[in-house]
Amino acid sequence: AMGCTEPIAIAYAAAKAKAVLGTFPTSCDIAVSGNIIKNAKSVVVPHTGGMRGIETAVVAGLVGGNADARLEVLSHVSHDDVERMRKISDTLPIKVSLSDSDYPFDIILSLTDGKDNVSVRITNRHTNIVSIIKNNEKIFEGDATEDIEIKKRDLSVEEIIEFANSVDIEDIRPTIKRQIDCNMAIAEEGLRSPWGANIGKLYLVAQENAKAIIENSENNASIINQEVNRNLYTINEAHESLELLRNNIAETSKNFVLEVDNLMNSLSVTKEQISENVDSARDAKTQFEEIYNSIVK
């Protein structure tokens, strides 16, 4: 296969359906199992200039696919084909849906040109065409039950743990190391280049962003804490200053009251003295008048 096999299988189904239809379709419906959607929805389709997804795989098979090449269906796609794919992707109606099939690998692709219609179904294996229907007439039928029963030995969790604890690591080291090396090479390439949905790269970016947010939050919290402490110190100083001012005002007010009381007492004494002087002056005047009158007479 050229690239991820799920979109290649979709392109193969599209190329085969178009060959049977005999003309370019006006619309396409494709129903696929969950595993197909998982593995094909975001992956780059080979020889498409970086285009991705199920719809791209359909268009690639229709435009540049060679059904006779099977898993190499897209091996002869040209630059002109890629340009045509981009235009057709914007105009050709393609409906993608999740099939209700029991098969983990199932593709049902239907094409119509407005007059005729063709349906191709691939099941269990990437090139295993199990039916071709044209205008409601089945013109090909394959073995739909092949490989449906997955041949494996059921292992319990206890058996898996027992194997992991008892196996001699040297017996499996070459196999495990090869798997680790391959997976690490794939992971590193995924981080370097824009493959698939870029989940790994997005995760690392999100992790770095989260780390930066936490660091900024801690820095901001420290700055806020320092500012709060400075404000509290200023408030305490202001409180102490106001308390001192209050005491000074209270002491000054007390002294002021005493001064006022003394002044009022002085004024009272002066008033009494003035009153006495007035009385003395009145008496002196009376005596003077009496003396004057007695002399005049």
Side-chain angles (χ1 to χ4, degrees), residues 39-57:
N39 293 331
K41 71 175 295 294
S42 298
V43 73
V44 172
V45 180
H47 300 296
T48 61
M51 298 171 66
R52 307 167 186 265
I54 293 172
E55 293 87 346
T56 294

Side-chain angles (χ1 to χ4, degrees), residues 213-266:
I213 290 171
I214 292 172
E215 290 178 352
N216 289 335
S217 298
E218 291 175 349
N219 292 335
N220 290 337
S222 176
I223 293 172
I224 291 172
N225 186 56
Q226 293 174 7
E227 189 66 25
V228 168
N229 288 335
R230 280 196 295 268
N231 290 336
L232 288 175
Y233 178 78
T234 302
I235 290 172
N236 287 334
E237 281 192 327
H239 185 271
E240 292 176 358
S241 298
L242 288 173
E243 184 69 22
L244 180 61
L245 178 62
R246 175 183 173 277
N247 293 336
N248 289 337
I249 291 173
E251 186 66 26
T252 302
S253 297
K254 180 180 177 181
N255 294 334
F256 180 74
V257 169
L258 290 174
E259 291 293 333
V260 171
D261 288 344
N262 291 334
L263 179 61
M264 290 182 68
N265 291 333
S266 297

Side-chain angles (χ1 to χ4, degrees), residues 265-295:
N265 291 333
S266 297
L267 290 174
S268 296
V269 171
T270 302
K271 178 182 177 183
E272 290 176 0
Q273 290 176 347
I274 291 173
S275 296
E276 290 176 356
N277 291 336
V278 169
D279 291 340
S280 297
R282 186 180 294 112
D283 291 342
K285 178 185 177 186
T286 301
Q287 292 178 359
F288 176 79
E289 288 179 346
E290 290 177 352
I291 295 171
Y292 175 79
N293 290 330
S294 63
I295 293 173

Side-chain angles (χ1 to χ4, degrees), residues 16-83:
K16 188 68 175 178
K18 178 193 170 188
V20 175
L21 185 64
T23 186
F24 203 88
T26 55
S27 66
C28 170
D29 287 352
I30 177 170
V32 292
S33 56
N35 279 345
I36 301 295
I37 293 177
K38 173 178 69 70
N39 293 331
K41 71 175 295 294
S42 298
V43 73
V44 172
V45 180
H47 300 296
T48 61
M51 298 171 66
R52 307 167 186 265
I54 293 172
E55 293 87 346
T56 294
V58 171
V59 173
L62 294 175
V63 173
N66 176 11
D68 293 335
R70 297 164 67 82
L71 287 182
E72 294 185 358
V73 59
L74 302 180
S75 59
H76 298 295
V77 172
S78 67
H79 176 75
D80 290 341
D81 289 334
V82 174
E83 293 303 314

